[in-house]
Amino acid sequence: MGSSIGVVFDLDGTLVDSVYQHVLAWHEALHQEGIELSVWRIHRKIGMSGGLFAKALLRETGRELDQGTTARLQQLHVEAYLRRIKQVRPLPGAKQLLGYLTQAHIPWGIATSGRRDTAAHAVELLAIPGNVTVVTRDDVLHAKPDPDLFLEATRRLSVDATEAVIVGDSIWDMLAARRARALGVGLLSGGYGQDELETTGAYRVYEDPASLLLHLDEIGVRSSF
Amino acid sequence: MGSSIGVVFDLDGTLVDSVYQHVLAWHEALHQEGIELSVWRIHRKIGMSGGLFAKALLRETGRELDQGTTARLQQLHVEAYLRRIKQVRPLPGAKQLLGYLTQAHIPWGIATSGRRDTAAHAVELLAIPGNVTVVTRDDVLHAKPDPDLFLEATRRLSVDATEAVIVGDSIWDMLAARRARALGVGLLSGGYGQDELETTGAYRVYEDPASLLLHLDEIGVRSSF
């Protein structure tokens, strides 16, 4: 009997080192729309859906965002991020970890709150083959912390969500993993504290993909070769 | 009998919103010297002395930095930071908090691991008068987490270190505050988790200067007017 386990990865901060560039790109976009928000507050919201982000903004700044402003903000963010994209690199061990899972015949895929166009760059950076499951914001109605992105990924992988390991760097990943009834595993490489990830339900927390690769046995991933 | 309490502030991440720009400036400087280090690891080291930073780098990358490389890195960092300096703003409530302390005749000053030239910009941004105590890396032999910067500030303020409140955003501030036998108070505005600051000895943790101003009574700061 083979194992039916599968692994679903978040992208930004989990496999590619892009969180801080996304944070400062949002900071720039908000400033261009006349909205001043401290950088750390943006960091704390990164990875949640755009709709929730807009609502959180309203709570923090008292300013309600209409649909036009929201759309402009998203466009300004993409432009500001693209200006920083040359700085973005794979996280240590990311390619090796994905390569190992492929070799071990363990189904794996990507589920990101990001849009298809920015995700495409990260996928290329990681040299992920075209047949790999990559679910983006464009594929589901609700992004994280709703479980939809992860559930769509496990569906495409033909893995039961309760048998899936979900690897992410933010509390939104851990919350979405719980709501998908999957096992959440946290990485520190997005810049959040270990405690934050554990509190939101991470079963284990590792530094980065390289460190996770060294400890795969601790989360029940065994190769069938 | 009046109170002999005094308040010493860290600068980056505590009064000005500059941590993420410093982090990405270090990332750029290191890359220019052929050193690849994940951004979150740089964030975790920000605010410690350059000497310790170089040693930590050695541990993380296995590469020893000679004096020439260290000097070049510092220069490249300053240049990369200056390219981002227009994005840097005072943190919410920073000016109001300093203004309140001045009005209440509570001695206060600044102690930063940064160099005089980059600190000058932050001091200007906060409209701090020329007679205020500002201790920088250039004034002491050892930067944080050694207590020298804070001890030099309390000496200039004629406040006993054990009567001082030290406000900072990083674990290096909290560690240095303990070693100075002062009361450490943490702010989340540098992007570190509450738990990290509490674990290293923060007596209280607030979101940012605006939030600290609302809770000054909790840390024993009372106005004499």
Side-chain angles (χ1 to χ4, degrees), chain A residues 73-152:
Chain A
L73 273 176
Q74 277 170 349
Q75 184 55 33
L76 289 169
H77 166 256
V78 168
E79 289 166 16
Y81 180 69
L82 290 177
R83 277 193 292 279
R84 292 164 168 86
I85 209 163
K86 270 195 208 160
Q87 307 164 11
V88 173
R89 288 182 251 300
L91 279 160
K95 287 185 198 179
Q96 293 85 335
L97 175 59
L98 301 180
Y100 175 86
L101 294 175
T102 300
Q103 239 190 326
H105 304 295
I106 294 162
W108 62 271
I110 308 277
T112 172
S113 278
R115 292 275 167 189
R116 201 185 306 276
D117 43 358
T118 46
H121 174 264
V123 164
E124 197 187 308
L125 211 59
L126 293 163
I128 290 176
N131 61 340
V132 168
T133 293
V134 179
V135 183
T136 70
R137 182 70 188 88
D138 307 278
D139 299 319
V140 295
L141 196 58
H142 295 112
K144 303 169 196 172
D146 277 87
D148 305 26
L149 282 161
F150 291 133
L151 290 175
E152 175 62 17

Side-chain angles (χ1 to χ4, degrees), chain A residues 17 20-21 23-24 27 31 36-41 43-44 84 87 89 91-92 188-189 191-193 195-196 207-208, chain B residues 17 20-21 23-24 27 31 36-41 43-44 84 87 89 91-92 188-189 191-193 195-196 207-208:
Chain A
D17 195 5
Y20 291 73
Q21 285 84 5
V23 168
L24 286 180
H27 188 246
H31 176 71
E36 298 295 339
L37 192 64
S38 304
V39 182
W40 72 280
R41 291 193 192 270
H43 190 186
R44 255 57 203 167
R84 292 164 168 86
Q87 307 164 11
R89 288 182 251 300
L91 279 160
L188 296 177
S189 38
Y192 302 95
D195 178 69
E196 295 173 83
E207 293 198 329
D208 56 17
Chain B
D17 196 5
Y20 291 72
Q21 286 83 5
V23 168
L24 286 180
H27 187 246
H31 176 69
E36 297 296 339
L37 193 64
S38 304
V39 182
W40 72 281
R41 291 193 192 269
H43 190 189
R44 256 59 204 166
R84 291 165 169 86
Q87 308 165 12
R89 291 182 248 298
L91 280 160
L188 296 177
S189 38
Y192 301 95
D195 177 69
E196 295 173 84
E207 291 199 331
D208 55 18

Side-chain angles (χ1 to χ4, degrees), chain A residues 6-79:
Chain A
V7 188
V8 181
F9 293 94
D10 169 59
L11 201 47
D12 295 296
T14 299
L15 294 173
V16 291
D17 195 5
S18 54
V19 168
Y20 291 73
Q21 285 84 5
H22 271 300
V23 168
L24 286 180
W26 275 116
H27 188 246
E28 186 179 327
L30 289 164
H31 176 71
Q32 286 169 331
E33 282 292 315
I35 302 168
E36 298 295 339
L37 192 64
S38 304
V39 182
W40 72 280
R41 291 193 192 270
I42 300 170
H43 190 186
R44 255 57 203 167
K45 303 281 182 293
I46 282 278
M48 62 160 41
S49 84
L52 285 177
F53 187 63
K55 280 196 192 109
L57 269 181
L58 167 64
R59 204 177 55 234
E60 311 243 4
T61 64
R63 179 169 157 179
E64 188 139 19
L65 301 185
D66 54 53
Q67 281 204 326
T69 311
T70 306
R72 271 199 312 280
L73 273 176
Q74 277 170 349
Q75 184 55 33
L76 289 169
H77 166 256
V78 168
E79 289 166 16

Side-chain angles (χ1 to χ4, degrees), chain B residues 115-128:
Chain B
R115 294 277 167 187
R116 202 185 307 276
D117 45 356
T118 45
H121 174 265
V123 164
E124 198 186 306
L125 211 59
L126 294 163
I128 292 175

